[in-house]
Structure formats: C-alpha cells, structure tokens
Amino acid sequence: MFKNRKVVVVMPAYNAEKTLRQTYNEVMENGEVDEIILVDDASHDRTVELARSLDHVTVHVHDQNRGYGANQKTCYRLALDAGADIVIMIHPDYQYTPKLIPAMVCLIGNGLYECVLGSRILGGYALKGGMPLWKYVSNRALTLFSNILMGAKLSEYHTGYRAFSRELLLRLPLDRNSDDFVFDNQIMAQVIWLGVNIAEITCPTKYFKEASSINFRRSVTYGFGCVFTALKFRLAKMGLARPALFKSD
C-alpha cells in the first residue's frame, strides 16, 4: 500500500519455476506490494505449484498457451478486478530487478506520472548485463524508428518492466492488441496516443540461461510488428487511417 493506494504486481509466467522464488522474495522485501497476481500460460514445469505455495500470490492458469500478449491482458484485467490502484508488471524470470518497484510506485503514487518504464538502455548497461549485440542493435534501431514516427523520446519500447496507474489502464483498449509479443509495443503506442507522459528509470538487466527470451525468428516477427504499429500510428495522426488500436470508442 502506498498512500492508501493498493499496489499489485503482475507476473506473466511461462516455465519460471527456477527463478520465481528469487523474484518473489525481492518483490515482497520492499514492503509496499499488497498482492502478486501470477498468470501462468500453460507452463510445463512446476511454476503453478510453486506459485500457489507463496503468500500473497493469486494464481490464474490459462488452460492452453495463449501467448505473451494474451497473458498480459489477463494480468491487467485481474489486477483491475482486484482493486489495484498501481500495477507493476515484472517477469518472474529475474531478468529485471524488483528492487526498483518502490521508485516506480512513488512516481505514480505521487501523481507525477501514469506510466513508468524500467529501461535497460538508460545508463548504458544493457550490453554489460549480457544483452546479445544483435538484440541491442535491433532495440536501438526499432526505438529510433518508433520515436520518429510517434513523436516520442523514449530510450526503449521493449522493456518488460512497466508500471501503470489504474486510471491509465482503464483508458487503454488492451483487447484490441495482439496476443503475441508485439503487445508490448502496441500498448506503449496507445499510451503515447493518449498524450500521457512516460517516466523512465535505469534498470540493471541480467541475461542468463534461465531468463526468458524469444528466438531470432520470433524476434524478426516482433520487429516487423513494431514497424507496422509505428506506421499505423503516423497514418492515424495524419488522418489517413483509423486503426482499431487507436480508436477511443
């Protein structure tokens, strides 16, 4: 709880058994998180069993693998249903440190921002943290392209560490977004479309065997999805298209 506002952490999980407990311990250490909602996307390991043994964790299981975007949709819906005022998404693979949660909560809870991103690029530690060079180059190129077309100045659009106010989540047409990885990019485009100021804080990142990562083929698909999202945004701003992603009705 932060200033009488309920803080909920959501974890989109898939085969996270080996890293879940460490992530959970650091999330709960800060003392401000009221509840963790873990949505399991049909894991093949003991993620669900372990999650159900942890205090203050609500577990929801998809009956089949629906995709990363679909997982996030369930996460945010359940968080809002639970009365969350501040929602932080962090992956349970321990790639991002939960120790930044208090800073994110403070920025939103004090009314300074409605959206906060944990950036792997700010501070210049992405490569030092083990981000593969091809991913770093792709990240920078896609971010530059998106910034130009969407008129923003973000350091990256692709982090899986995000915080939102309840009010902002309720304004976002999340069900119109993809069920795949490009959901991450689409939701940021929607936030920018609404004219919402976005805060970024530098986030140390760890890349290791157990950390989740999409393969090269799916990364290419994601990259094209980001390009198409930025193009739709620009065409919509110019009044040349009316993509569902950016319709308010």
Side-chain angles (χ1 to χ4, degrees):
M1 191 74 70
F2 182 86
K3 294 187 175 181
N4 295 317
R5 304 189 72 184
K6 185 175 183 180
V7 179
V8 173
V9 165
V10 296
M11 295 183 179
Y14 182 69
N15 292 339
E17 174 192 351
K18 294 181 180 179
T19 53
L20 173 57
R21 185 176 294 276
Q22 187 174 13
T23 306
Y24 165 84
N25 288 340
E26 284 196 15
V27 167
M28 298 309 296
E29 279 175 4
N30 68 73
E32 291 176 348
V33 174
D34 299 291
E35 181 181 357
I36 296 174
I37 295 175
L38 182 142
V39 177
D40 182 82
D41 204 28
S43 292
H44 302 298
D45 62 3
R46 296 178 59 255
T47 297
V48 173
E49 181 182 345
L50 174 58
R52 286 175 171 161
S53 73
L54 302 173
D55 293 335
H56 307 291
V57 178
T58 299
V59 181
H60 180 90
V61 182
H62 284 169
D63 55 0
Q64 61 183 6
N65 187 277
R66 300 182 187 177
Y68 176 59
N71 193 317
Q72 284 194 63
K73 291 175 186 178
T74 303
C75 282
Y76 296 132
R77 175 177 57 80
L78 293 176
L80 292 173
D81 289 346
D85 297 300
I86 300 171
V87 180
I88 301 106
M89 182 186 76
I90 187 168
H91 296 172
D93 63 357
Y94 203 63
Q95 186 178 126
Y96 304 93
T97 173
K99 293 181 179 179
L100 293 177
I101 287 176
M104 298 174 120
V105 168
C106 183
L107 288 170
I108 293 178
N110 284 314
L112 298 174
Y113 293 93
E114 291 187 81
C115 178
V116 182
L117 305 180
S119 172
R120 299 166 295 179
I121 304 302
L122 285 176
Y125 299 116
L127 291 175
K128 293 179 182 178
M131 180 183 283
L133 180 60
W134 68 268
K135 285 193 174 183
Y136 178 82
V137 173
S138 299
N139 185 309
R140 305 309 301 131
L142 287 172
T143 294
L144 176 61
F145 184 82
S146 297
N147 277 337
I148 291 173
L149 267 68
M150 292 194 275
K153 295 182 179 180
L154 296 180
S155 67
E156 73 159 324
Y157 288 74
H158 320 294
T159 175
Y161 199 1
R162 298 146 182 246
F164 303 93
S165 70
R166 177 183 185 86
E167 295 76 14
L168 176 56
L169 283 176
L170 287 171
R171 296 173 64 194
L172 297 173
L174 301 183
D175 287 340
R176 299 175 185 173
N177 294 349
S178 170
D179 286 342
D180 208 342
F181 287 100
V182 76
F183 176 97
D184 268 354
N185 190 254
Q186 291 172 334
I187 191 174
M188 294 316 305
Q190 289 170 335
V191 171
I192 295 169
W193 179 267
L194 293 175
V196 173
N197 290 327
I198 302 168
E200 293 185 280
I201 56 178
T202 181
C203 176
T205 309
K206 305 180 185 72
Y207 283 82
F208 51 96
K209 182 179 178 180
E210 288 79 13
S212 61
S213 182
I214 60 176
N215 59 36
F216 180 78
R217 179 182 63 82
R218 299 200 72 181
S219 294
V220 171
T221 301
Y222 170 79
F224 279 113
C226 293
V227 169
F228 292 144
T229 298
L231 289 171
K232 289 177 182 177
F233 184 101
R234 176 46 50 196
L235 290 173
K237 280 293 185 182
M238 296 171 65
L240 299 177
R242 296 188 61 194
L245 285 177
F246 308 117
K247 289 181 182 179
S248 57
D249 55 356

